[in-house]
């Protein structure tokens, strides 16, 4: 699977960055970006949780 963060929606709360640090990181503007092209098999649960838990639904599967 692949995921992306909608940069316009992200409020920089840090939830995805702290709960799935192998997948997300902050850019220089404090907005989350996806670190990987394809989510590794063993990180897919983390990615799905991040999608579900983002308070502004900024993360989506693509
Ligand atoms: S959980 Fe959502 S709002 Fe929070 S940093 Fe991640 S993408 Fe942005």
């Amino acid at each position: 699977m692949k995921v992306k963060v909608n940069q316009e929606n992200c409020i920089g709360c840090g939830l995805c960055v702290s709960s799935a640090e192998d997948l997300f990181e902050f850019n220089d503007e404090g907005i989350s970006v996806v670190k990987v092209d394809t989510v590794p098999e063993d990180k897919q649960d983390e990615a799905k949780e991040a999608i579900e838990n983002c308070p502004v639904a900024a993360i989506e599967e693509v």
Side-chain angles (χ1 to χ4, degrees), residues 5 9-17 26 32 54-56 58-59:
V5 174
N9 288 6
C10 174
I11 55 171
C13 75
L15 191 62
C16 62
V17 176
F26 282 128
S32 172
C54 174
V56 293
I59 310 169

Side-chain angles (χ1 to χ4, degrees), residues 7 10 12 24 31 38 61:
Q7 305 289 292
C10 174
F24 303 95
I31 298 299
T38 302
E61 188 172 352

Side-chain angles (χ1 to χ4, degrees), residues 2-46:
K2 295 185 182 206
V3 292
K4 75 166 189 183
V5 174
N6 185 331
Q7 305 289 292
E8 287 173 10
N9 288 6
C10 174
I11 55 171
C13 75
L15 191 62
C16 62
V17 176
S18 59
S19 67
E21 59 186 16
D22 293 329
L23 303 178
F24 303 95
E25 65 187 354
F26 282 128
N27 66 12
D28 291 344
E29 288 158 5
I31 298 299
S32 172
V33 292
V34 180
K35 295 166 71 170
V36 295
D37 179 49
T38 302
V39 177
E41 198 118 319
D42 64 344
K43 298 288 177 192
Q44 294 196 358
D45 285 348
E46 277 183 31

